[in-house]
Amino acid sequence: MKLSRQPWCASLCLAVAAWAACTANTAAWAQSYPAKPIKFITNFPAGGPADYLARSVGEAITTQYKQPVVVENKPGAGGNIGADFVAKSPADGYTVLFGIDTTFTVNPYIYKNMAFKAADLRPIMVMVSSGLLVGAHPGTGFKSLKDLIAQGKTKNLNFSSAGSGSPGHLAAEIFMDAANIKIQHVPYKGNTPAVTAVLAGEVDAGVLATPGMLPYVKTGKITALAVTSRQRSRSAADIPTVAELGLKDLELEVLYIAMVPAATPEPVVQLLQKSFTDALKRSDTQAQLASMDLFYEGLTGQDAVKRLSDQSQRYSRVVKSTGMKVE
């Protein structure tokens, strides 16, 4: 597969200079922000962690600034549709993207044409991270990851993911390569419908966001086999990590990020960063994050850019070695 001529990570770094150049003479204008309703765009369906984060932060901003925040879901194309919408919106701080890193760290390598570039958007914050959970329908009879691997060597298993280019798709490709098994990737439009597919037995298993899987693990409707995070789940500590099972190469974390058009004035970005930090550090939000197995990151500026760049470099190698592609 031919990768993008300019690596996404390099484009992200080049964008930093462009963002800095757009901030002159904006402080006075930004003092009146926000003066009207703010729109939060999530590029995956309602019900997932990004949607929760958008609504939680939105409530805090509404309370603080007395301006309503409207959350809209624009899913599709691995998050590209929502990201493109925000990239082409006015750079005034009134349209903010809530999504996950793979839209920016995987999609450029698997989609032939990207409607937007890295330099079109800048991160406000890498807010939180989470692992994925490898879960199977009870009807498969899988009790462990070892069972799944053994079956996968003789049968082409079906795995659901939240869409082409999603973390689950990426993990399935890494899994197939590392364990030498057969996996038929079945993309859905978001984590929630992908979990539903496992529940209904439409697929054998899924590698999906842990928060969406855990409620069904606890009721026995999904069999948990492993988590891809570096540490065990805080909500289900009995589930082993992939590293503990000898598959450290499968470790993978999802980054939940907020972004705005690149030319958004720096004072507005800083105000949003502070508002996001305040919202995410509230005791009630922290308790909810823990219940969803989300870990606070709070990365801004160059730290956020570096984290995304590191992810991009790793995933470009994965795409090249596995032949991962949009289905």
PDB file of all heavy atoms in Angstrom, residues 145 149 153 170-183 242 245-251 314 318 321-322:
ATOM      1  N   LEU A 145      -8.236 -16.011  25.616  1.00  0.00           N
ATOM      2  CA  LEU A 145      -7.650 -15.572  24.353  1.00  0.00           C
ATOM      3  C   LEU A 145      -6.979 -16.750  23.650  1.00  0.00           C
ATOM      4  O   LEU A 145      -6.954 -16.820  22.414  1.00  0.00           O
ATOM      5  CB  LEU A 145      -6.645 -14.453  24.617  1.00  0.00           C
ATOM      6  CG  LEU A 145      -6.256 -13.587  23.412  1.00  0.00           C
ATOM      7  CD1 LEU A 145      -7.472 -12.876  22.844  1.00  0.00           C
ATOM      8  CD2 LEU A 145      -5.198 -12.572  23.822  1.00  0.00           C
ATOM      9  N   ILE A 149      -7.421 -17.850  19.712  1.00  0.00           N
ATOM     10  CA  ILE A 149      -6.275 -18.024  18.810  1.00  0.00           C
ATOM     11  C   ILE A 149      -6.279 -19.419  18.189  1.00  0.00           C
ATOM     12  O   ILE A 149      -6.052 -19.585  16.989  1.00  0.00           O
ATOM     13  CB  ILE A 149      -4.961 -17.759  19.562  1.00  0.00           C
ATOM     14  CG1 ILE A 149      -4.861 -16.268  19.930  1.00  0.00           C
ATOM     15  CG2 ILE A 149      -3.751 -18.174  18.720  1.00  0.00           C
ATOM     16  CD1 ILE A 149      -3.694 -15.932  20.832  1.00  0.00           C
ATOM     17  N   LYS A 153      -6.847 -20.272  13.981  1.00  0.00           N
ATOM     18  CA  LYS A 153      -5.869 -20.920  13.096  1.00  0.00           C
ATOM     19  C   LYS A 153      -6.532 -21.874  12.107  1.00  0.00           C
ATOM     20  O   LYS A 153      -5.913 -22.281  11.117  1.00  0.00           O
ATOM     21  CB  LYS A 153      -4.821 -21.662  13.939  1.00  0.00           C
ATOM     22  CG  LYS A 153      -3.899 -20.724  14.713  1.00  0.00           C
ATOM     23  CD  LYS A 153      -2.809 -21.482  15.441  1.00  0.00           C
ATOM     24  CE  LYS A 153      -1.909 -20.546  16.231  1.00  0.00           C
ATOM     25  NZ  LYS A 153      -1.147 -19.619  15.375  1.00  0.00           N
ATOM     26  N   LEU A 170      -7.629  -1.494  13.729  1.00  0.00           N
ATOM     27  CA  LEU A 170      -6.173  -1.512  13.851  1.00  0.00           C
ATOM     28  C   LEU A 170      -5.724  -2.686  14.719  1.00  0.00           C
ATOM     29  O   LEU A 170      -4.806  -3.441  14.359  1.00  0.00           O
ATOM     30  CB  LEU A 170      -5.709  -0.189  14.459  1.00  0.00           C
ATOM     31  CG  LEU A 170      -4.209   0.066  14.549  1.00  0.00           C
ATOM     32  CD1 LEU A 170      -3.623   0.287  13.165  1.00  0.00           C
ATOM     33  CD2 LEU A 170      -3.953   1.296  15.423  1.00  0.00           C
ATOM     34  N   ALA A 171      -6.390  -2.859  15.872  1.00  0.00           N
ATOM     35  CA  ALA A 171      -6.021  -3.942  16.784  1.00  0.00           C
ATOM     36  C   ALA A 171      -6.238  -5.307  16.144  1.00  0.00           C
ATOM     37  O   ALA A 171      -5.430  -6.227  16.330  1.00  0.00           O
ATOM     38  CB  ALA A 171      -6.834  -3.827  18.071  1.00  0.00           C
ATOM     39  N   ALA A 172      -7.330  -5.454  15.380  1.00  0.00           N
ATOM     40  CA  ALA A 172      -7.598  -6.735  14.726  1.00  0.00           C
ATOM     41  C   ALA A 172      -6.502  -7.077  13.719  1.00  0.00           C
ATOM     42  O   ALA A 172      -6.069  -8.234  13.618  1.00  0.00           O
ATOM     43  CB  ALA A 172      -8.958  -6.701  14.035  1.00  0.00           C
ATOM     44  N   GLU A 173      -6.043  -6.072  12.981  1.00  0.00           N
ATOM     45  CA  GLU A 173      -4.974  -6.299  12.012  1.00  0.00           C
ATOM     46  C   GLU A 173      -3.665  -6.690  12.721  1.00  0.00           C
ATOM     47  O   GLU A 173      -2.947  -7.596  12.287  1.00  0.00           O
ATOM     48  CB  GLU A 173      -4.759  -5.046  11.160  1.00  0.00           C
ATOM     49  CG  GLU A 173      -5.916  -4.687  10.245  1.00  0.00           C
ATOM     50  CD  GLU A 173      -6.046  -5.629   9.056  1.00  0.00           C
ATOM     51  OE1 GLU A 173      -5.118  -6.424   8.801  1.00  0.00           O
ATOM     52  OE2 GLU A 173      -7.088  -5.565   8.378  1.00  0.00           O
ATOM     53  N   ILE A 174      -3.368  -5.981  13.818  1.00  0.00           N
ATOM     54  CA  ILE A 174      -2.163  -6.306  14.589  1.00  0.00           C
ATOM     55  C   ILE A 174      -2.291  -7.715  15.172  1.00  0.00           C
ATOM     56  O   ILE A 174      -1.341  -8.505  15.144  1.00  0.00           O
ATOM     57  CB  ILE A 174      -1.952  -5.286  15.718  1.00  0.00           C
ATOM     58  CG1 ILE A 174      -1.713  -3.887  15.140  1.00  0.00           C
ATOM     59  CG2 ILE A 174      -0.775  -5.687  16.592  1.00  0.00           C
ATOM     60  CD1 ILE A 174      -1.675  -2.786  16.190  1.00  0.00           C
ATOM     61  N   PHE A 175      -3.464  -8.026  15.688  1.00  0.00           N
ATOM     62  CA  PHE A 175      -3.736  -9.322  16.287  1.00  0.00           C
ATOM     63  C   PHE A 175      -3.544 -10.441  15.265  1.00  0.00           C
ATOM     64  O   PHE A 175      -2.885 -11.458  15.521  1.00  0.00           O
ATOM     65  CB  PHE A 175      -5.174  -9.323  16.815  1.00  0.00           C
ATOM     66  CG  PHE A 175      -5.486 -10.421  17.790  1.00  0.00           C
ATOM     67  CD1 PHE A 175      -6.732 -10.474  18.379  1.00  0.00           C
ATOM     68  CD2 PHE A 175      -4.547 -11.376  18.150  1.00  0.00           C
ATOM     69  CE1 PHE A 175      -7.045 -11.474  19.290  1.00  0.00           C
ATOM     70  CE2 PHE A 175      -4.838 -12.368  19.059  1.00  0.00           C
ATOM     71  CZ  PHE A 175      -6.097 -12.426  19.625  1.00  0.00           C
ATOM     72  N   MET A 176      -4.118 -10.257  14.088  1.00  0.00           N
ATOM     73  CA  MET A 176      -4.026 -11.265  13.037  1.00  0.00           C
ATOM     74  C   MET A 176      -2.570 -11.516  12.659  1.00  0.00           C
ATOM     75  O   MET A 176      -2.148 -12.666  12.469  1.00  0.00           O
ATOM     76  CB  MET A 176      -4.824 -10.805  11.804  1.00  0.00           C
ATOM     77  CG  MET A 176      -4.859 -11.804  10.658  1.00  0.00           C
ATOM     78  SD  MET A 176      -6.142 -11.404   9.433  1.00  0.00           S
ATOM     79  CE  MET A 176      -5.754  -9.706   9.029  1.00  0.00           C
ATOM     80  N   ASP A 177      -1.802 -10.458  12.588  1.00  0.00           N
ATOM     81  CA  ASP A 177      -0.398 -10.569  12.209  1.00  0.00           C
ATOM     82  C   ASP A 177       0.436 -11.210  13.328  1.00  0.00           C
ATOM     83  O   ASP A 177       1.240 -12.111  13.086  1.00  0.00           O
ATOM     84  CB  ASP A 177       0.150  -9.179  11.878  1.00  0.00           C
ATOM     85  CG  ASP A 177       1.553  -9.208  11.306  1.00  0.00           C
ATOM     86  OD1 ASP A 177       1.764  -9.860  10.275  1.00  0.00           O
ATOM     87  OD2 ASP A 177       2.443  -8.572  11.910  1.00  0.00           O
ATOM     88  N   ALA A 178       0.209 -10.762  14.576  1.00  0.00           N
ATOM     89  CA  ALA A 178       1.020 -11.238  15.694  1.00  0.00           C
ATOM     90  C   ALA A 178       0.711 -12.683  16.075  1.00  0.00           C
ATOM     91  O   ALA A 178       1.607 -13.454  16.424  1.00  0.00           O
ATOM     92  CB  ALA A 178       0.811 -10.332  16.908  1.00  0.00           C
ATOM     93  N   ALA A 179      -0.588 -13.071  16.004  1.00  0.00           N
ATOM     94  CA  ALA A 179      -0.990 -14.408  16.430  1.00  0.00           C
ATOM     95  C   ALA A 179      -1.091 -15.402  15.273  1.00  0.00           C
ATOM     96  O   ALA A 179      -1.356 -16.583  15.500  1.00  0.00           O
ATOM     97  CB  ALA A 179      -2.328 -14.331  17.166  1.00  0.00           C
ATOM     98  N   ASN A 180      -0.898 -14.898  14.046  1.00  0.00           N
ATOM     99  CA  ASN A 180      -0.980 -15.753  12.854  1.00  0.00           C
ATOM    100  C   ASN A 180      -2.327 -16.467  12.768  1.00  0.00           C
ATOM    101  O   ASN A 180      -2.410 -17.694  12.620  1.00  0.00           O
ATOM    102  CB  ASN A 180       0.157 -16.776  12.840  1.00  0.00           C
ATOM    103  CG  ASN A 180       0.281 -17.487  11.497  1.00  0.00           C
ATOM    104  OD1 ASN A 180      -0.059 -16.921  10.451  1.00  0.00           O
ATOM    105  ND2 ASN A 180       0.757 -18.719  11.523  1.00  0.00           N
ATOM    106  N   ILE A 181      -3.401 -15.687  12.873  1.00  0.00           N
ATOM    107  CA  ILE A 181      -4.745 -16.242  12.766  1.00  0.00           C
ATOM    108  C   ILE A 181      -5.523 -15.502  11.684  1.00  0.00           C
ATOM    109  O   ILE A 181      -5.089 -14.455  11.194  1.00  0.00           O
ATOM    110  CB  ILE A 181      -5.504 -16.160  14.099  1.00  0.00           C
ATOM    111  CG1 ILE A 181      -5.703 -14.696  14.520  1.00  0.00           C
ATOM    112  CG2 ILE A 181      -4.784 -16.954  15.184  1.00  0.00           C
ATOM    113  CD1 ILE A 181      -6.561 -14.537  15.764  1.00  0.00           C
ATOM    114  N   LYS A 182      -6.680 -16.043  11.344  1.00  0.00           N
ATOM    115  CA  LYS A 182      -7.521 -15.454  10.311  1.00  0.00           C
ATOM    116  C   LYS A 182      -8.641 -14.651  10.957  1.00  0.00           C
ATOM    117  O   LYS A 182      -9.369 -15.152  11.811  1.00  0.00           O
ATOM    118  CB  LYS A 182      -8.119 -16.555   9.432  1.00  0.00           C
ATOM    119  CG  LYS A 182      -7.094 -17.421   8.709  1.00  0.00           C
ATOM    120  CD  LYS A 182      -7.779 -18.545   7.943  1.00  0.00           C
ATOM    121  CE  LYS A 182      -6.757 -19.448   7.250  1.00  0.00           C
ATOM    122  NZ  LYS A 182      -7.401 -20.577   6.536  1.00  0.00           N
ATOM    123  N   ILE A 183      -8.773 -13.403  10.541  1.00  0.00           N
ATOM    124  CA  ILE A 183      -9.831 -12.537  11.058  1.00  0.00           C
ATOM    125  C   ILE A 183     -10.498 -11.816   9.892  1.00  0.00           C
ATOM    126  O   ILE A 183      -9.819 -11.174   9.095  1.00  0.00           O
ATOM    127  CB  ILE A 183      -9.282 -11.487  12.045  1.00  0.00           C
ATOM    128  CG1 ILE A 183      -8.757 -12.164  13.312  1.00  0.00           C
ATOM    129  CG2 ILE A 183     -10.373 -10.483  12.418  1.00  0.00           C
ATOM    130  CD1 ILE A 183      -8.127 -11.191  14.290  1.00  0.00           C
ATOM    131  N   VAL A 242      -3.143  -7.965  27.350  1.00  0.00           N
ATOM    132  CA  VAL A 242      -2.555  -8.755  26.264  1.00  0.00           C
ATOM    133  C   VAL A 242      -1.083  -9.039  26.538  1.00  0.00           C
ATOM    134  O   VAL A 242      -0.569 -10.103  26.163  1.00  0.00           O
ATOM    135  CB  VAL A 242      -2.735  -8.040  24.905  1.00  0.00           C
ATOM    136  CG1 VAL A 242      -4.188  -8.067  24.459  1.00  0.00           C
ATOM    137  CG2 VAL A 242      -2.209  -6.603  24.948  1.00  0.00           C
ATOM    138  N   LEU A 245      -0.552 -12.015  28.542  1.00  0.00           N
ATOM    139  CA  LEU A 245      -0.833 -13.237  27.788  1.00  0.00           C
ATOM    140  C   LEU A 245       0.189 -13.478  26.681  1.00  0.00           C
ATOM    141  O   LEU A 245       0.004 -14.338  25.829  1.00  0.00           O
ATOM    142  CB  LEU A 245      -2.246 -13.161  27.194  1.00  0.00           C
ATOM    143  CG  LEU A 245      -3.380 -13.056  28.232  1.00  0.00           C
ATOM    144  CD1 LEU A 245      -4.708 -12.837  27.537  1.00  0.00           C
ATOM    145  CD2 LEU A 245      -3.424 -14.299  29.110  1.00  0.00           C
ATOM    146  N   GLY A 246       1.278 -12.701  26.690  1.00  0.00           N
ATOM    147  CA  GLY A 246       2.349 -12.912  25.725  1.00  0.00           C
ATOM    148  C   GLY A 246       2.181 -12.200  24.409  1.00  0.00           C
ATOM    149  O   GLY A 246       2.851 -12.524  23.427  1.00  0.00           O
ATOM    150  N   LEU A 247       1.269 -11.196  24.344  1.00  0.00           N
ATOM    151  CA  LEU A 247       1.036 -10.469  23.098  1.00  0.00           C
ATOM    152  C   LEU A 247       1.220  -8.963  23.332  1.00  0.00           C
ATOM    153  O   LEU A 247       0.338  -8.163  23.048  1.00  0.00           O
ATOM    154  CB  LEU A 247      -0.377 -10.758  22.565  1.00  0.00           C
ATOM    155  CG  LEU A 247      -0.591 -12.137  21.965  1.00  0.00           C
ATOM    156  CD1 LEU A 247      -2.074 -12.399  21.742  1.00  0.00           C
ATOM    157  CD2 LEU A 247       0.159 -12.272  20.639  1.00  0.00           C
ATOM    158  N   LYS A 248       2.380  -8.603  23.832  1.00  0.00           N
ATOM    159  CA  LYS A 248       2.643  -7.194  24.145  1.00  0.00           C
ATOM    160  C   LYS A 248       2.518  -6.297  22.915  1.00  0.00           C
ATOM    161  O   LYS A 248       2.153  -5.124  23.025  1.00  0.00           O
ATOM    162  CB  LYS A 248       4.031  -7.045  24.766  1.00  0.00           C
ATOM    163  CG  LYS A 248       4.329  -5.626  25.244  1.00  0.00           C
ATOM    164  CD  LYS A 248       5.643  -5.563  25.990  1.00  0.00           C
ATOM    165  CE  LYS A 248       5.972  -4.117  26.378  1.00  0.00           C
ATOM    166  NZ  LYS A 248       4.940  -3.523  27.247  1.00  0.00           N
ATOM    167  N   ASP A 249       2.814  -6.838  21.722  1.00  0.00           N
ATOM    168  CA  ASP A 249       2.727  -6.040  20.498  1.00  0.00           C
ATOM    169  C   ASP A 249       1.302  -5.573  20.215  1.00  0.00           C
ATOM    170  O   ASP A 249       1.095  -4.676  19.392  1.00  0.00           O
ATOM    171  CB  ASP A 249       3.248  -6.831  19.293  1.00  0.00           C
ATOM    172  CG  ASP A 249       4.760  -6.963  19.318  1.00  0.00           C
ATOM    173  OD1 ASP A 249       5.416  -6.225  20.064  1.00  0.00           O
ATOM    174  OD2 ASP A 249       5.282  -7.824  18.569  1.00  0.00           O
ATOM    175  N   LEU A 250       0.324  -6.193  20.882  1.00  0.00           N
ATOM    176  CA  LEU A 250      -1.064  -5.819  20.666  1.00  0.00           C
ATOM    177  C   LEU A 250      -1.503  -4.671  21.573  1.00  0.00           C
ATOM    178  O   LEU A 250      -2.606  -4.159  21.434  1.00  0.00           O
ATOM    179  CB  LEU A 250      -1.978  -7.040  20.886  1.00  0.00           C
ATOM    180  CG  LEU A 250      -3.463  -6.887  20.570  1.00  0.00           C
ATOM    181  CD1 LEU A 250      -3.683  -6.453  19.124  1.00  0.00           C
ATOM    182  CD2 LEU A 250      -4.213  -8.172  20.850  1.00  0.00           C
ATOM    183  N   GLU A 251      -0.631  -4.232  22.474  1.00  0.00           N
ATOM    184  CA  GLU A 251      -0.989  -3.116  23.342  1.00  0.00           C
ATOM    185  C   GLU A 251      -1.403  -1.915  22.491  1.00  0.00           C
ATOM    186  O   GLU A 251      -0.700  -1.535  21.556  1.00  0.00           O
ATOM    187  CB  GLU A 251       0.190  -2.722  24.233  1.00  0.00           C
ATOM    188  CG  GLU A 251       0.367  -3.597  25.451  1.00  0.00           C
ATOM    189  CD  GLU A 251       1.433  -3.078  26.394  1.00  0.00           C
ATOM    190  OE1 GLU A 251       2.156  -2.131  26.015  1.00  0.00           O
ATOM    191  OE2 GLU A 251       1.546  -3.619  27.497  1.00  0.00           O
ATOM    192  N   ARG A 314       3.873   5.100  14.682  1.00  0.00           N
ATOM    193  CA  ARG A 314       3.680   3.671  14.948  1.00  0.00           C
ATOM    194  C   ARG A 314       2.665   3.067  13.974  1.00  0.00           C
ATOM    195  O   ARG A 314       2.903   2.006  13.386  1.00  0.00           O
ATOM    196  CB  ARG A 314       3.185   3.466  16.387  1.00  0.00           C
ATOM    197  CG  ARG A 314       2.956   1.982  16.709  1.00  0.00           C
ATOM    198  CD  ARG A 314       2.162   1.756  17.973  1.00  0.00           C
ATOM    199  NE  ARG A 314       1.940   0.335  18.182  1.00  0.00           N
ATOM    200  CZ  ARG A 314       1.091  -0.163  19.063  1.00  0.00           C
ATOM    201  NH1 ARG A 314       0.376   0.641  19.837  1.00  0.00           N
ATOM    202  NH2 ARG A 314       0.940  -1.472  19.182  1.00  0.00           N
ATOM    203  N   VAL A 318       2.453  -0.042  11.072  1.00  0.00           N
ATOM    204  CA  VAL A 318       1.481  -1.142  11.144  1.00  0.00           C
ATOM    205  C   VAL A 318       0.733  -1.289   9.817  1.00  0.00           C
ATOM    206  O   VAL A 318       0.576  -2.394   9.293  1.00  0.00           O
ATOM    207  CB  VAL A 318       0.477  -0.904  12.289  1.00  0.00           C
ATOM    208  CG1 VAL A 318      -0.673  -1.909  12.211  1.00  0.00           C
ATOM    209  CG2 VAL A 318       1.176  -1.005  13.639  1.00  0.00           C
ATOM    210  N   SER A 321       3.045  -2.816   7.181  1.00  0.00           N
ATOM    211  CA  SER A 321       3.408  -4.222   7.380  1.00  0.00           C
ATOM    212  C   SER A 321       2.234  -5.179   7.250  1.00  0.00           C
ATOM    213  O   SER A 321       2.396  -6.321   6.850  1.00  0.00           O
ATOM    214  CB  SER A 321       4.064  -4.410   8.750  1.00  0.00           C
ATOM    215  OG  SER A 321       3.162  -4.132   9.789  1.00  0.00           O
ATOM    216  N   THR A 322       1.021  -4.704   7.586  1.00  0.00           N
ATOM    217  CA  THR A 322      -0.141  -5.603   7.546  1.00  0.00           C
ATOM    218  C   THR A 322      -0.981  -5.480   6.284  1.00  0.00           C
ATOM    219  O   THR A 322      -1.797  -6.333   5.993  1.00  0.00           O
ATOM    220  CB  THR A 322      -1.074  -5.331   8.749  1.00  0.00           C
ATOM    221  OG1 THR A 322      -1.619  -4.002   8.646  1.00  0.00           O
ATOM    222  CG2 THR A 322      -0.321  -5.493  10.065  1.00  0.00           C
TER     223      THR A 322
END
